[in-house]
Amino acid sequence: MNIGDVARQSGVPAKTIRYYEDIGLIRPNRSENGYRAFTENHVHKLAFLGRARALGFTIEDCRTLLSLYEDENRESMQVKAVAEDHLRQIEEKIAKLQSMRATLAELVEKCAGDHRPDCPIIEDLSPERLAK
């Protein structure tokens, strides 16, 4: 199977598949003429990686998860630990985003948005604010 076929079946773009090969996440076979030759197993791994990336797992997390996916003797606690760590990171990002949203909403509310030059948004962004 060629890279175009694998890309269509797995939902992972060919460029990404080449990148995954470059970093050693997948290792397609090579024909005598040097073309990549993918198997059905590659399609499954790529679909797995595509889903993991869509959930925001890092490349290193994907490497770990793929290793666990391929290990029939894996312990689910190992998989859960990777997922729990990722979930914790997502929750931290959400908390930061909520804080950013609250601050920005407050600044937008305070700004008159009229013809006058004074603006609490500019004042908050200004480095002079830190000197006060």
Side-chain angles (χ1 to χ4, degrees), residues 57-113:
F57 284 101
T58 66
I59 292 294
E60 285 311 308
D61 285 343
C62 286
R63 193 177 305 279
T64 300
L65 290 169
L66 188 59
S67 174
L68 291 166
Y69 173 73
E70 295 171 327
D71 181 1
E72 293 180 8
N73 296 315
R74 70 182 167 263
E75 296 177 352
S76 65
M77 75 171 99
Q78 296 169 295
V79 180
K80 186 175 181 176
V82 174
E84 284 177 332
D85 183 57
H86 183 56
L87 181 59
R88 180 191 50 75
Q89 291 173 26
I90 289 172
E91 288 169 345
E92 288 174 4
K93 288 178 186 177
I94 289 170
K96 287 178 185 176
L97 285 170
Q98 288 173 331
S99 175
M100 289 168 44
R101 184 191 183 287
T103 300
L104 190 55
E106 181 181 337
L107 291 171
V108 167
E109 181 66 31
K110 288 180 179 178
C111 182

